[in-house]
Amino acid sequence: MIFKQFSRSVLLIAGFAFLGFSAYAQGDTTKGKALFNAKCTTCHKIDIKLIGPPLGSTVSTLTDDKWLTKWIQNNQALITAKDPRAIAIYNEYGQQNMTVFEDLSDGDVANILTYVRTTWKNWPKTPPPGTSPAVETGPNSLVIWALAGVIVLAFIIILVLNKVILTLERLIQKSPEILITEAEVEALPVDRFATLKRLAKNKKLVFFVLLCGTLALGSWTWVTMWNTNVHQGYQPVQPIKFPHDLHAGTMKIDCQYCHSGAYKSKNASIPSLNVCMNCHKTVKTESPEIKKIYAALGYDPATSKYDSTKARPIQWIRIHNLPDLVYFNHSQHVVVGKVKCQTCHGQVQTMKEVYQYSPLTMKWCIQCHKRTEVNHEGNAYYKNMVAVHDLIKQGKPVTAAAMGGIECGKCHY
């Protein structure tokens, strides 16, 4: 009987696992790669968001390949038909129309999905050259082993309960006098806490409850401590509503026009209000937000004169804030590393109000450094490193100064 209960549980779980794996489309990876490069790379990447979402995590999460096929072939038809999922995606990406691929057959779409899922599955082990940094991925091996442990624990509990049931049945068969009639039961005094007392005497049940409570409390504590001082998604209300989607998106103003320190100093710097006045002496002068700038500068638009006695600083609220122990140099990443602003700050050109896009944790930075290839061509720093290595090979002395040891930033930051 115990073996039968155990085998049924195993078969049931195996069946669900088989159905989950078979839900994906089966296609040709080679053909899918060719179609992906020809049709998809303009707007999508495997690991990061471009114009559209990162396809690796998105396609691997969605298992409804029938719906995905309809979306890829003619997403406009789904939107017109008021499909809830299609409407949600359409609104999430600013109601931008995705290209319609009616020339792709169901088999072509299956090939593309198979290529994307296979590539994403192997992405952390063999990342393609020149890929951009990816965001933190999902569950690791520790989580998988924990889930396996929970399943094994459930099987053990099933076995124990079956054994208890068999023991009680044998006890009743041997001593039928322990059974009492319903009238005798009704005559007994009612104890509201009888069930709790009976459960409290069950040592195995108490142990199981304590174990589950300890695991739950430990998991909650771990998650809480892990996310301490991680402010991903932080979006404070600023004293002036500055629409980045209008300036960086619609108007195509370069980020470094305002944040000029990004290419020449450690800090990207907050632009002075004089930068705003380059345009807003004549543009949108009637806007309430622009009038806040005039008030902070003591500027009178009627006379085009400044009154320094009325000037006051704008109290901007900082969004991206690293710990004091962290040294991050914007110019080193922007100029030498050729890192785009969107890599860390997200698609700022689509944000109505800026928020903290990345977690900015040590793990996130290390993942970026592991995946980003160094472009050493035409870089004076790496040419100097090659010269230093040649000196070491020749057995000649190498000083700390030759390796950049007297740069100001080594000590003063």
Side-chain angles (χ1 to χ4, degrees):
M1 181 177 178
I2 297 175
F3 178 77
K4 185 182 294 184
Q5 293 289 340
F6 182 82
S7 61
R8 286 178 180 175
S9 302
V10 173
L11 290 174
L12 182 62
I13 293 176
F16 281 123
F18 176 77
L19 290 175
F21 286 119
S22 63
Y24 290 123
Q26 301 299 321
D28 190 310
T29 305
T30 304
K31 294 180 180 179
K33 180 179 180 180
L35 289 170
F36 178 85
N37 292 333
K39 302 286 187 180
C40 308
T41 52
T42 303
C43 301
H44 295 282
K45 286 185 176 292
I46 295 291
D47 60 328
I48 64 172
K49 178 181 178 182
L50 195 58
I51 297 176
L55 290 186
S57 57
T58 303
V59 172
S60 298
T61 302
L62 294 175
T63 58
D64 190 355
D65 287 357
K66 184 177 180 181
W67 184 89
L68 279 173
T69 302
K70 292 180 180 178
W71 171 262
I72 294 172
Q73 291 174 341
N74 193 345
N75 58 90
Q76 295 301 315
L78 289 175
I79 295 172
T80 305
K82 303 297 182 181
D83 182 88
R85 191 183 301 176
I87 294 295
I89 296 175
Y90 181 65
N91 292 332
E92 181 180 355
Y93 287 89
Q95 298 185 349
Q96 296 181 2
N97 293 326
M98 174 181 165
T99 306
V100 174
F101 297 101
E102 292 181 336
D103 58 324
L104 293 178
S105 64
D106 293 353
D108 293 335
V109 176
N111 292 336
I112 294 174
L113 296 179
T114 301
Y115 165 72
V116 171
R117 285 169 178 152
T118 303
T119 306
W120 180 247
K121 181 180 179 182
N122 300 325
W123 191 265
K125 299 178 182 177
T126 56
T131 54
S132 299
V135 296
E136 297 188 39
T137 54
N140 54 23
S141 57
L142 179 62
V143 176
I144 297 175
W145 283 109
L147 292 176
V150 172
I151 294 174
V152 172
L153 182 62
F155 284 150
I156 295 175
I157 293 172
I158 292 174
L159 294 176
V160 172
L161 292 177
N162 285 333
K163 186 174 181 180
V164 171
I165 292 173
L166 290 176
T167 303
L168 292 175
E169 290 177 349
R170 293 194 189 100
L171 181 62
I172 293 174
Q173 291 175 357
K174 291 180 180 180
S175 305
E177 65 276 2
I178 64 175
L179 299 176
I180 59 177
T181 63
E182 294 183 2
E184 292 174 334
V185 171
E186 294 177 356
L188 293 175
V190 178
D191 188 356
R192 297 180 179 180
F193 303 100
T195 302
L196 294 176
K197 293 178 180 179
R198 190 162 54 251
L199 294 176
K201 294 179 180 179
N202 189 329
K203 296 182 179 179
K204 294 179 179 178
L205 178 62
V206 172
F207 172 76
F208 179 73
V209 171
L210 291 176
L211 178 63
C212 292
T214 303
L215 291 175
L217 182 61
S219 300
W220 176 81
T221 304
W222 174 264
V223 172
T224 302
M225 295 179 65
W226 185 263
N227 290 298
T228 299
N229 286 333
V230 176
H231 305 294
Q232 188 175 14
Y234 175 58
Q235 188 179 40
V237 178
Q238 300 290 358
I240 296 179
K241 296 180 180 179
F242 180 85
H244 277 76
D245 59 341
L246 174 62
H247 292 78
T250 305
M251 306 301 295
K252 305 296 182 183
I253 299 176
D254 187 81
C255 297
Q256 295 180 31
Y257 177 78
C258 298
H259 302 283
S260 57
Y263 71 94
K264 62 182 179 181
S265 69
K266 173 180 180 288
N267 298 310
S269 71
I270 298 175
S272 65
L273 296 181
N274 292 328
V275 176
C276 305
M277 293 297 288
N278 290 339
C279 298
H280 289 293
K281 274 188 176 181
T282 56
V283 177
K284 298 285 287 184
T285 57
E286 75 284 355
S287 170
E289 302 303 318
I290 303 302
K291 290 180 180 179
K292 294 179 183 178
I293 297 177
Y294 294 164
L297 290 171
Y299 175 75
D300 186 358
T303 61
S304 299
K305 293 183 178 180
Y306 294 88
D307 184 354
S308 59
T309 60
K310 297 180 180 180
R312 55 180 176 79
I314 296 292
Q315 300 295 326
W316 298 106
I317 301 176
R318 185 166 183 168
I319 299 176
H320 303 83
N321 191 19
L322 295 175
D324 293 338
L325 55 90
V326 177
Y327 175 77
F328 179 85
N329 191 308
H330 273 84
S331 62
Q332 184 177 0
H333 289 76
V334 174
V335 179
V336 181
K338 307 295 183 184
V339 178
K340 294 183 178 180
C341 302
Q342 288 82 355
T343 302
C344 299
H345 297 286
Q347 301 299 316
V348 181
Q349 69 275 11
T350 64
M351 297 180 185
K352 191 69 176 177
E353 295 184 24
V354 175
Y355 61 91
Q356 182 174 320
Y357 168 78
S358 305
L360 301 181
T361 59
M362 183 173 69
K363 176 183 177 182
W364 184 82
C365 295
I366 289 175
Q367 283 183 338
C368 178
H369 283 211
K370 285 183 177 180
R371 295 178 181 273
T372 304
E373 292 187 357
V374 175
N375 183 14
H376 54 80
E377 296 294 336
N379 191 308
Y381 174 79
Y382 293 106
K383 285 184 178 180
N384 181 59
M385 287 293 99
V386 172
V388 170
H389 278 281
D390 290 340
L391 291 175
I392 294 175
K393 290 179 181 179
Q394 297 171 13
K396 297 180 179 180
V398 177
T399 64
M403 303 178 67
I406 59 175
E407 295 175 1
C408 302
K410 295 294 183 181
C411 300
H412 300 283
Y413 60 87

